Amino acid sequence: MALGRRQFVGGAVAVAGAATAGLGTTAFTPPARPAALWREFEAAPRTHPQIPYVGRAGAHAGARRLPRPRVTANVLAHGATPDGSADSAPAINRALAEAGERGGGTVLLPPGTYRIDDYLRIGHSGVVLRGAGSGRTTLLATRNLTELIGPYGSRYGGDKSSWSWAGGLVWLSPHARHASLVTAIRDRAWPFEGWTGNRRDEWTTLTALRPARRGDREVTVEDPSALRRGGLVLLRLADDPAHTLLAHMAGGGPGPEAYGWADKTKLTSYVPYEWPVRITAVRGRTVTLERPLPLDLRPEWDPRLVSGVVPLTDSGVVGLTLAAVETPQSPHLLDKGHNGVVFQCAYDCWAEDVVVRHVDNGFGLVAASACTLRRTRVEGRGSHHPYFCREGAHDNLVEDFRIAARTVPAPAGTQLHGINVEGLSSHNVWSRGVMEMGTFDTHRGMPFANVRTEITVENNGRHGGDASAGPLYGARFVHWNVTVTNGRAGLVKIDTIAPYSATVGISEVREFDQTDVPDFTGELHARVEAYGAPGTVRPRNLYEAQRALGNR
């Protein structure tokens, strides 16, 4: 790629104008014009039928400047060695734990290369691991998660390795929750991985909710006594026997109502739907939420606010490269766990200026919400999931990201996905990215209301997905201003498969051997605008335009 690092880090990725030399060129871009869909959205930003409201995605509602806690430790003082000559993982983990036990703080990794023979854990809120920059501080990981923790089978059976989509060599997860996950894995009691514990039974009702509509920020509660301004709660919606909640996530109407939900056992294991959100005000029985409701609240879904596991908040990883020892990529779904940075049961957390290299799986958001990945990059020998977003991950922001072309040919039997979202994950944003390989992946599991905007992709990956996980898409999925440099379709033009979706300003594409058919019968209510002409509509970036609208 000819695009320089200064250009990438500054966020000036030109997705529709003069594309980079490695991804082809665009000879002429017609003048930009306002998108009709955008004008519609401005009139109803929280309730548009095809475009979700994602203007507050990311840590601290998408804040450009994230917290910078005071420095409380330097790993050199704990015995870390920056010349790679000895295992520095114990020293780094001691420094991180000590910072957490003291109430939080920044742990410094000065310039150098730190060998780590164990994985690193951030399990306390308010703890930031800060290197001197991704070009100056390197963590060299010598072992994988199978060696460090043990094999991790799939709770859905078969011989698949769950390290193919979970766990990181830098793993941010609440201390107690992380301990319970590791214990379950070692006991071969393959866990659920989200906010309500290994069996999804660790929750307590705070209050029931009165009916409300998607897009509302104020809700009426039955009992406000357990609610506090600034508190983090889970909205919990249970499905009914007719699966009307799942149909609602797909946009409702004859197609979703006729769909055979009952035998999609993997999909139905993802409900109740759990959506973490902060409370910004409590006035009597009226509660104001940080973000608009993602779905209607109806009595048949038993809407309630609950508490789950203690979350990880205000923690992050900044300014470093995590390099796994280069080993051949594993056969599909048999990954050993040479994984990058993973956030799990985390809220208002972040990674910034972080590179992962030679990993099986790059950056993970597992039941994580309101997190930001900014100026991140996946590079090296090739990976299975460069970015994965699953198990009910919501309201996250991935911006100024890059997936570099692999440095070695892909071994036989391996698989490449790309920017993945699955498992009822909703309201996530991928913005200003360059993908030198990969695709816009879903693994079924009906993700809904997600946005991918201002991205250039050499669309050479394939999507995955188990039939028992149900539809590829729910409602309000948007691809906005996407340049496809090799002209291959592959889940970029989605108007023929995604209900109530919008495909705006994408390159002209052609189908290839992985051609998908609609999951739902009848009219999909999908919209297409400026097909074949990326960069010709305003706004260029849907997420940033929504942020500019403010809290309307």
Side-chain angles (χ1 to χ4, degrees), residues 5 10 25 45 50 164 208 211 232 235 261 300 303 322 342 365 374 422 432 448 455 512 520:
R5 176 172 173 78
T25 59
Q50 280 87 17
S164 300
L232 184 63
L235 168 65
W261 301 100
E300 56 266 35
L322 170 64
V342 168
L365 296 159
R374 180 174 291 145
E422 60 180 281
R432 294 198 309 269
F448 67 95
I455 297 170
F512 69 115
F520 304 109

Side-chain angles (χ1 to χ4, degrees), residues 363 373 376-378 385-388 398 401-403 418-420:
F363 292 89
L373 307 182
T376 58
R377 188 164 77 250
V378 181
H385 297 99
Y387 290 83
F388 56 100
V398 182
F401 67 95
R402 189 181 209 137
I403 301 172
I419 52 174
N420 158 257

Side-chain angles (χ1 to χ4, degrees), residues 177 192-204 234 236 272 274 306-309 345:
R177 181 74 184 104
F192 284 90
E193 296 160 299
W195 293 93
T196 49
N198 294 345
R199 293 182 298 275
R200 301 199 74 183
D201 58 358
E202 297 178 30
W203 57 274
T204 302
L234 296 178
R236 187 179 190 273
E274 295 169 350
V306 307
S307 62
V309 300
C345 299

Side-chain angles (χ1 to χ4, degrees), residues 38 69 83 140 218 237 318 363 422 520 543 547:
W38 174 251
D83 61 1
L140 179 61
E218 290 188 345
L237 298 177
V318 179
F363 292 89
E422 60 180 281
F520 304 109
Y543 166 71
R547 285 190 59 76

Side-chain angles (χ1 to χ4, degrees), residues 7-320:
Q7 233 181 323
F8 169 66
V9 170
V13 178
V15 297
T20 59
L23 294 182
T25 59
T26 300
F28 173 72
T29 300
R33 57 184 174 81
L37 270 164
W38 174 251
R39 291 195 296 267
E40 292 178 12
F41 178 82
E42 284 184 299
R46 296 188 195 172
T47 57
H48 192 276
Q50 280 87 17
I51 301 176
Y53 179 78
V54 293
R56 295 177 67 80
H60 294 279
R64 299 304 306 172
R65 295 178 63 86
L66 294 169
R68 193 169 178 134
R70 63 187 179 88
V71 175
T72 57
N74 185 314
V75 299
L76 300 182
H78 287 260
T81 55
D83 61 1
S85 62
D87 177 18
S88 290
I92 299 171
N93 278 325
R94 280 196 301 272
L96 292 169
E98 185 175 297
E101 289 162 1
R102 292 181 175 179
T106 294
V107 174
L108 290 182
L109 273 171
T113 296
Y114 300 83
R115 195 184 92 207
I116 55 171
D117 299 342
D118 195 358
Y119 69 102
L120 304 184
R121 313 155 184 67
I122 297 180
H124 295 87
S125 293
V127 174
V128 175
L129 179 62
R130 180 176 291 274
S134 60
R136 301 182 66 202
T137 297
T138 297
L139 298 169
L140 179 61
T142 63
R143 304 175 72 191
N144 59 55
L145 293 169
T146 300
E147 295 171 309
L148 295 169
I149 296 175
Y152 187 3
S154 170
R155 67 176 183 256
Y156 300 105
D159 60 355
K160 302 172 184 176
S161 167
S162 285
W163 297 128
S164 300
W165 54 77
L169 292 169
V170 176
W171 199 336
L172 296 92
S173 182
H175 178 74
R177 181 74 184 104
H178 182 75
S180 71
L181 287 165
V182 171
T183 297
I185 293 165
R186 287 176 170 157
D187 290 344
R188 305 180 71 84
W190 315 130
F192 284 90
E193 296 160 299
W195 293 93
T196 49
N198 294 345
R199 293 182 298 275
R200 301 199 74 183
D201 58 358
E202 297 178 30
W203 57 274
T204 302
T205 295
L206 301 174
T207 181
L209 292 165
R210 295 283 182 90
R213 300 297 301 273
R214 174 175 69 90
D216 291 347
R217 282 191 64 194
E218 290 188 345
V219 296
T220 302
V221 303
E222 296 292 348
D223 180 5
S225 61
L227 307 179
R228 298 289 184 273
R229 181 178 181 272
L232 184 63
V233 296
L234 296 178
L235 168 65
R236 187 179 190 273
L237 298 177
D239 207 1
D240 60 6
H243 298 294
T244 60
L245 175 60
L246 291 173
H248 176 57
M249 292 175 181
E257 289 168 6
Y259 184 78
W261 301 100
D263 65 340
K264 307 303 186 293
T265 52
K266 190 171 184 179
L267 175 66
T268 54
S269 76
Y270 297 144
V271 289
Y273 174 81
E274 295 169 350
W275 180 66
V277 66
R278 283 199 189 278
I279 293 171
T280 59
V282 180
R283 300 180 183 88
R285 293 200 299 162
T286 299
V287 174
T288 305
L289 305 176
E290 184 177 30
R291 293 175 175 82
L293 287 175
L295 297 164
D296 291 353
L297 307 184
R298 301 180 187 173
E300 56 266 35
W301 303 331
D302 189 23
R304 58 180 68 196
L305 297 179
V306 307
S307 62
V309 300
V310 175
L312 184 75
T313 61
D314 285 316
S315 293
V317 181
V318 179
L320 57 83

